[in-house]
């Protein structure tokens, strides 16, 4: 499950922008074989008076935390490719805002601590996981 939590100051994203970004994020994970419904994107708007960088309020800021559970990358090269994909995917959505401070990080959590609808997700790449991807829903396996 990729969980993207996007903290941002007002005026960064319209409802349409949010929908496009969330779709772009889900599209990528679907392309690499994850069920689309694994991808959750949350937008949390915060007043600039509550968004501080370096101890100072930031009038235009985006801070993204990404939790990866469904897949992990054990080597530095793979992790760097993921970071580069995220940067390249985010830039068109963010570069239009002059003076915007933006950053992200990715955490990888153990699959052992994850359930969907009370079920342990099927093993990575298994027929059951492929079935979940086709159905775009969790089901007993």
């Amino acid at each position: 499950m990729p969980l993207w939590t996007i903290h941002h100051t007002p005026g960064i994203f319209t409802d349409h922008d949010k929908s496009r970004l969330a779709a772009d994020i889900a599209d990528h994970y679907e392309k690499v074989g994850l069920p689309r419904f694994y991808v959750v994107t949350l937008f949390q708007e915060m007043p600039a008076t509550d968004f501080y960088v370096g101890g100072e309020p930031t009038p235009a800021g985006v801070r993204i935390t990404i939790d990866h559970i469904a897949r992990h990358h054990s080597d530095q090269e793979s992790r760097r490719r993921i970071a580069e994909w995220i940067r390249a995917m985010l830039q068109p959505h963010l570069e239009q805002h002059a003076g915007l401070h933006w950053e992200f990080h990715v955490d990888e959590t153990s699959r052992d601590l994850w359930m969907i609808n009370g079920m342990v997700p099927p093993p990575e790449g298994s027929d059951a996981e492929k079935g979940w991807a086709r159905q775009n829903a969790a089901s007993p396996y």
Side-chain angles (χ1 to χ4, degrees):
M1 166 197 81
L3 168 61
W4 287 53
T5 305
I6 302 172
H7 304 276
H8 61 92
T9 54
I12 303 299
F13 300 107
T14 65
D15 288 345
H16 178 73
D17 294 336
K18 291 175 190 178
S19 181
R20 281 186 27 235
L21 179 53
D24 284 352
I25 293 166
D27 288 347
H28 170 76
Y29 290 104
E30 183 179 37
K31 286 177 188 169
V32 298
L34 288 182
R36 193 172 182 85
F37 74 93
Y38 277 14
V39 184
V40 175
T41 306
L42 307 173
F43 291 87
Q44 296 184 338
E45 185 173 293
M46 308 180 76
T49 56
D50 290 339
F51 198 115
Y52 284 71
V53 175
E56 299 293 327
T58 302
V62 173
R63 181 62 171 87
I64 301 169
T65 59
I66 304 163
D67 294 308
H68 279 175
I69 301 173
R71 301 289 189 273
H72 294 146
H73 301 278
S74 59
D75 64 276
Q76 184 177 10
E77 186 177 322
S78 294
R79 289 190 302 270
R80 180 54 54 202
R81 278 195 310 271
I82 294 294
E84 288 300 324
W85 163 74
I86 293 168
R87 180 195 55 76
M89 192 272 305
L90 287 172
Q91 267 185 317
H93 294 275
L94 300 175
E95 64 187 7
Q96 63 211 18
H97 300 282
L100 177 67
H101 172 89
W102 65 280
E103 61 182 278
F104 67 87
H105 83 273
V106 179
D107 286 325
E108 294 185 332
T109 301
S110 170
R111 284 181 62 97
D112 297 335
L113 300 171
W114 174 39
M115 289 188 173
I116 296 179
N117 293 348
M119 292 180 278
V120 173
E124 178 180 337
S126 67
D127 288 341
E129 186 185 60
K130 291 173 187 170
W132 280 26
R134 279 191 304 279
Q135 299 171 140
N136 197 29
S139 61
Y141 63 97

